[in-house]
Amino acid sequence: LRLFLRTVVDVHPSVKVLATCFGHQLMAQALDGAAGPNPHGAFVLRRESMTCEDAMLAREDFQAAAAMFPPIESQSSGLRRVGVLESHGDCVSSLPPNATLLASSPTAEFECFSVGDTVLSWQGHPELSSAAMERKILPYVESLSDDDKKASRASWKVENDALLLVAMARGFLRGGICGGDDAATVRAHFASADALMTAPSADEGYRKTVKNLPGASGETSLADAAEATFLAVAGPGGGGGVGGDGDDDDDDENENENENEKGKPGTPSS
């Protein structure tokens, strides 16, 4: 998976990649940065304020988004502080060499970074509402005490800047501008996504996914566990067309072998 991401960034620079949470960690690792368990050891599940660097404030997508949705703390901090919901046991511990730091937060020194015009990567969850956090994440984080959970809920009552960051992401994916977007469009985007995230159909999904990751434990980052899952499904040479080795004969043989393996007991299928 890391090889796939690296190949996309290096070989297909016209493809925009938005990375969130453990995707943020995987992206850092794929580009020669590093990620691992939170330095303080505790799982982070709360609203935080990230502090934006000059590089963030200079971005056209950020400026356009902030014009639509000024940061909640703008009266006291201008555009420097942006509120976001966080849910992570791991974080980026060092930036890729060619990355630009965009923002930091109290629990993630490298909260947000970019790589040229190709990658926008952040640790937080602007796509999630407090209701989604309550329903999809809080019940399944077993390391949190009752007091921790109360503190999480209390922090979610403070308004955050999800809409600003969603608008920024939309602008980034469109080439750095928010052309055609207005506040109503972004609000509708967020509301539609939230309706999916708060639906009851997948309430056990988070627990099953994390517990079934090969090697997942307190000693292993989620990024490493996800990589193990990818390799278990795709095989050591996995990664699709953009991550192949260019040897068509070998690739054809592997595909035939994989076809023959389908249906056998113990063979991962997805």
Side-chain angles (χ1 to χ4, degrees):
L1 183 54
R2 297 182 185 107
L3 175 60
F4 175 82
L5 291 173
R6 178 64 175 261
T7 303
V8 170
V9 173
D10 289 349
V11 180
H12 302 277
S14 63
V15 176
K16 305 289 185 182
V17 184
L18 176 66
T20 297
C21 195
F22 99 86
H24 173 66
Q25 299 154 22
L26 279 174
M27 183 61 73
Q29 292 177 326
L31 302 180
D32 298 328
N38 293 336
H40 51 77
F43 193 93
V44 176
L45 187 63
R46 60 175 178 264
R47 179 203 187 276
E48 291 191 336
S49 290
M50 64 181 193
T51 301
C52 298
E53 301 289 329
D54 289 343
M56 175 75 101
L57 303 186
R59 290 178 62 97
E60 186 177 6
D61 48 18
F62 178 84
Q63 293 174 1
M68 278 191 282
F69 301 102
I72 302 302
E73 300 178 50
S74 59
Q75 291 187 347
S76 60
S77 304
L79 301 180
R80 287 283 177 189
R81 294 178 67 80
V82 173
V84 64
L85 301 185
E86 301 275 359
S87 172
H88 61 95
D90 306 318
C91 63
V92 174
S93 53
S94 68
L95 286 180
N98 57 344
T100 298
L101 179 65
L102 298 180
S104 59
S105 69
T107 58
E109 180 181 359
F110 307 109
E111 172 72 33
C112 180
F113 69 81
S114 63
V115 179
D117 298 324
T118 302
V119 173
L120 177 61
S121 184
W122 51 43
Q123 180 60 59
H125 282 284
E127 81 283 4
L128 296 183
S129 67
S130 57
M133 300 283 274
E134 175 81 32
R135 182 162 193 152
K136 298 296 187 185
I137 298 180
L138 186 63
Y140 309 121
V141 183
E142 298 174 348
S143 62
L144 294 180
S145 66
D146 288 342
D147 287 342
D148 291 332
K149 292 180 179 180
K150 289 179 181 178
S152 295
R153 292 188 177 99
S155 76
W156 297 337
K157 293 179 180 179
V158 179
E159 195 172 357
N160 65 75
D161 294 301
L163 293 174
L164 185 163
L165 294 173
V166 169
M168 179 183 175
R170 288 171 61 92
F172 163 72
L173 293 171
R174 292 177 176 187
I177 59 173
C178 297
D181 274 0
D182 56 22
T185 301
V186 177
R187 291 183 191 278
H189 176 141
F190 183 83
S192 295
D194 190 51
L196 293 174
M197 289 301 300
T198 54
S201 58
D203 281 350
E204 293 299 314
Y206 182 83
R207 180 191 295 272
K208 290 179 180 177
T209 298
V210 173
K211 285 197 171 183
N212 289 336
L213 287 173
S217 71
E219 302 298 322
T220 304
S221 72
L222 186 55
D224 288 334
E227 175 75 355
T229 299
F230 180 82
L231 292 177
V233 173
V242 297
D245 59 7
D247 188 335
D248 294 336
D249 292 336
D250 288 346
D251 290 343
D252 290 341
E253 290 178 11
N254 289 336
E255 288 178 8
N256 291 333
E257 289 174 3
N258 290 336
E259 286 296 324
N260 293 334
E261 289 296 318
K262 287 182 179 179
K264 291 184 179 180
T267 302
S269 58
S270 63

